Amino acid sequence: ATLLRAMKQLPQIRLVLLGEGPARADLEAQAAALGLTNVEFAGFLSGDDYAQRFAGARLLVLPSELYETFGLVVWEANALGIPAIGSRIGGIPEAIVEGETGLLFDAGNADDLAEKIRTLLARPDEARAMGERGRARVEAHCAKYHELIGAVYARAIREGAPVEMRH
């Protein structure tokens, strides 16, 4: 709902909502009540359809008002070089490095969110750089865990016994 209220302030920007859930009908009704013609509810997508729609995004917005433990979708976006804007709540601020890989806004604050969207879209070079830094961050984390897992397997093969992974 916060994102929809923000989009009311950004009629020139197109929003595509990917995903499905029990709140969809309420959100569609809210979008209609707000007179939003710039919002598309794409629903559940998978495989190539999902990958193409996601990869074509200029930015990701994660407007959660719940105490998310880990914003995996932020890492997916960053892996594609897409900067993220997320709520400053729960684990989202750990997934988005403020000013480096994206921007944070106060959860539930549509004005703050609209301003963050405006900022990133008005500065495409800065947004692109944030996406690149996000991708580098994801690659570094993946390389680290690949190395750790490889070491665990090597030790298990060498010793022929269960081992515990420490990091």
Side-chain angles (χ1 to χ4, degrees):
T2 301
L3 179 54
L4 294 177
R5 290 192 313 276
M7 292 308 294
K8 180 71 175 173
Q9 300 176 41
L10 305 165
Q12 72 286 8
I13 297 169
R14 183 167 174 260
L15 170 68
V16 178
L17 293 168
L18 301 182
E20 193 69 45
R24 180 174 176 171
D26 286 342
L27 293 172
E28 287 179 324
Q30 288 178 40
L34 289 168
L36 297 176
T37 58
N38 56 336
V39 176
E40 174 191 345
F41 288 83
F44 176 78
L45 299 174
S46 63
D48 289 342
D49 291 334
Y50 175 77
Q52 287 174 354
R53 291 301 285 268
F54 200 173
R58 291 192 296 173
L59 59 94
L60 166 85
V61 178
L62 181 56
S64 184
E65 295 177 24
L66 303 174
Y67 287 88
E68 308 263 350
T69 57
F70 184 75
L72 182 59
V73 71
V74 171
W75 287 82
E76 291 174 335
N78 284 167
L80 293 170
I82 299 169
I85 298 174
S87 307
R88 193 178 283 107
I89 191 169
I92 296 170
E94 294 177 34
I96 299 171
V97 181
E98 176 76 26
E100 291 294 316
T101 65
L103 300 174
L104 296 168
F105 72 97
D106 294 328
N109 186 331
D111 295 333
D112 191 20
L113 175 55
E115 184 56 35
K116 296 303 187 319
I117 292 170
R118 249 187 236 102
T119 297
L120 273 190
L121 293 179
R123 301 175 183 162
D125 291 341
E126 186 177 334
R128 193 173 309 105
M130 285 182 180
E132 289 169 5
R133 287 189 295 268
R135 181 171 174 87
R137 184 172 185 236
V138 169
E139 287 175 353
H141 280 281
C142 288
K144 173 185 168 187
Y145 287 105
H146 182 266
E147 182 181 319
L148 287 170
I149 289 170
V152 167
Y153 278 110
R155 184 172 169 204
I157 290 167
R158 204 174 44 249
E159 296 178 11
V163 294
E164 109 182 30
M165 188 169 119
R166 294 186 191 127
H167 59 287

